[in-house]
Amino acid sequence: MIKHLIGEHETVEYDTKKYVMLYDNVENEEYPVHWHDAVELIMPIKAEYTVNVGGKDFKLPEYDVLIIPPGELHSMPPIPGRRLIFQCDNKVLSNVTVLEPIMKIISAPFVINNAYNRDLHALAKKCMLDILQLYDSKSELSDTKIYIKIIELFTALSEHQIEIQKDIMDCDEEKLVEYNEKFEAVLKFIDTNYMYDITLDECADVAGYSKFHFSRIFKQYNSVTYMQYINIKRTKAAEKLLMQPNLAITDVAMMSGFKSLTTFNRIFKSIKHCTPTDYKKLYSAQMKSSLS
């Protein structure tokens, strides 16, 4: 149950002296479109569960684990069953410099299952079940132990991703470290300036590569072109702006960095599979339904 929802923003209410929240959820209830600053992990225990994140449905069989990064719009329809919904304060993780490398793992939602990696799936399942046991513990160290479990899981996921990335980039770990540093700077540049006209030359200059080398390496590293990444960033910004009833579609387009309404409609529909107008209407209908 969402306790504090203003518009689409949920303020996660942690227990007294706790920085984690666990719902052992057996309610057949709907969770409307919302986002929060917490890291969220969801694992069905009884019956398949569906979670929509950013317009994409993730159908989770029992014991598959979905990781939802902070700031992602998501919703869940009413489905009978039992699932664990875990949230932890992202500030506890993101404000610790030594944890920065593993926090990259939650840049996008993804599912941990046998198809992804059997060992990691077993670890994720154990992590969630251990958290369930620890959450009700009276020990003053229960929060600490829970965060240790999360860090252990994220570290293992990060190690796996590094090996995958080395294969994709066809490079050793030293070269991958260089790419990490270069593209982290580029992504920060895009995240800060997506509302402006960002050129290929500017991105290449930030990375210190020629624009031709940059284009090829960026796509290998991020699985999308630099322009696709910018459009995804702009579309995510537009999603939240569309939820503000006082903003016109044209205003949202300009504020998100799109130079024309035609371009905004085309790119938004290609990513979200509906027009900005349809998205705004859908959200307005959901809000009226939740208030009635």
Side-chain angles (χ1 to χ4, degrees):
M1 178 180 181
I2 298 177
K3 295 182 180 180
H4 299 288
L5 187 64
I6 300 176
E8 74 285 356
H9 180 239
E10 177 192 3
T11 301
V12 178
E13 185 181 279
Y14 299 107
D15 291 346
T16 305
K17 295 183 180 180
K18 283 184 176 287
Y19 297 90
V20 296
M21 178 64 68
L22 181 72
Y23 298 94
D24 188 354
N25 182 277
V26 294
E27 302 296 329
N28 184 12
E29 61 181 331
E30 179 182 10
Y31 289 80
V33 176
H34 65 285
W35 66 276
H36 45 64
D37 297 321
V39 178
E40 184 163 340
L41 283 75
I42 300 175
M43 183 179 79
I45 293 179
K46 182 179 180 182
E48 182 181 271
Y49 197 48
T50 298
V51 184
N52 184 284
V53 186
K56 178 181 177 180
D57 279 341
F58 291 84
K59 296 186 182 298
L60 306 174
E62 293 176 3
Y63 297 109
D64 281 6
V65 177
L66 171 66
I67 299 180
I68 305 175
E72 287 280 353
L73 289 165
H74 57 288
S75 61
M76 293 87 101
I79 298 176
R82 180 189 177 196
R83 71 286 307 184
L84 300 180
I85 302 175
F86 171 76
Q87 298 170 328
C88 64
D89 191 340
N90 184 48
K91 293 191 295 294
V92 175
L93 298 169
S94 60
N95 288 350
V96 181
T97 303
V98 74
L99 297 181
E100 285 182 1
I102 69 168
M103 293 309 293
K104 296 175 185 176
I105 198 67
I106 54 170
S107 60
F110 72 98
V111 177
I112 309 172
N113 53 25
N114 278 334
Y116 180 73
N117 183 279
R118 285 184 175 274
D119 291 338
L120 289 174
H121 181 223
L123 179 61
K125 175 182 174 181
K126 184 177 185 302
C127 175
M128 293 295 284
L129 294 177
D130 286 346
I131 288 172
L132 175 62
Q133 184 176 8
L134 287 166
Y135 189 75
D136 293 326
S137 169
K138 303 300 181 183
S139 169
E140 64 179 357
L141 296 177
S142 59
D143 276 24
T144 304
K145 291 179 179 180
I146 287 173
Y147 272 98
I148 289 173
K149 294 289 182 183
I150 292 297
I151 292 170
E152 178 186 7
L153 174 61
F154 285 4
T155 300
L157 290 170
S158 297
E159 290 175 336
H160 181 65
Q161 283 294 326
I162 287 171
E163 293 304 314
I164 292 175
Q165 201 73 50
K166 282 160 61 177
D167 289 341
I168 293 172
M169 304 294 291
D170 191 23
C171 65
D172 58 21
E173 191 153 353
E174 182 178 349
K175 190 65 176 178
L176 186 60
V177 169
E178 177 191 320
Y179 287 140
N180 285 337
E181 293 175 352
K182 299 281 191 181
F183 287 113
E184 184 176 345
V186 173
L187 298 184
K188 284 182 179 178
F189 173 75
I190 293 173
D191 292 349
T192 304
N193 297 284
Y194 67 85
M195 66 289 297
Y196 307 117
D197 185 21
I198 301 175
T199 67
L200 173 58
D201 286 333
E202 287 175 320
C203 291
D205 285 344
V206 172
Y209 296 134
S210 72
K211 61 182 180 181
F212 303 106
H213 184 64
F214 171 81
S215 296
R216 181 176 63 83
I217 299 299
F218 187 96
K219 186 171 183 179
Q220 283 183 322
Y221 187 85
N222 293 284
S223 301
V224 293
T225 67
Y226 91 98
M227 199 66 239
Q228 287 172 326
Y229 181 88
I230 292 172
N231 284 333
I232 290 169
K233 185 70 182 179
R234 287 172 175 166
T235 299
K236 283 187 176 181
E239 286 181 64
K240 293 177 183 177
L241 291 171
L242 286 167
M243 293 176 178
Q244 299 184 26
N246 58 319
L247 286 179
I249 300 293
T250 303
D251 294 331
V252 171
M254 298 301 112
M255 293 169 68
S256 303
F258 294 99
K259 298 307 176 186
S260 74
L261 194 57
T262 300
T263 301
F264 178 42
N265 283 325
R266 175 175 55 80
I267 291 174
F268 191 94
K269 187 173 183 179
S270 70
I271 294 174
K272 302 300 299 180
H273 308 293
C274 66
T275 66
T277 301
D278 289 339
Y279 188 92
K280 193 175 184 69
K281 288 179 180 177
L282 175 63
Y283 178 73
S284 297
Q286 288 176 331
M287 282 299 297
K288 289 178 182 179
S289 176
S290 65
L291 293 173
S292 62

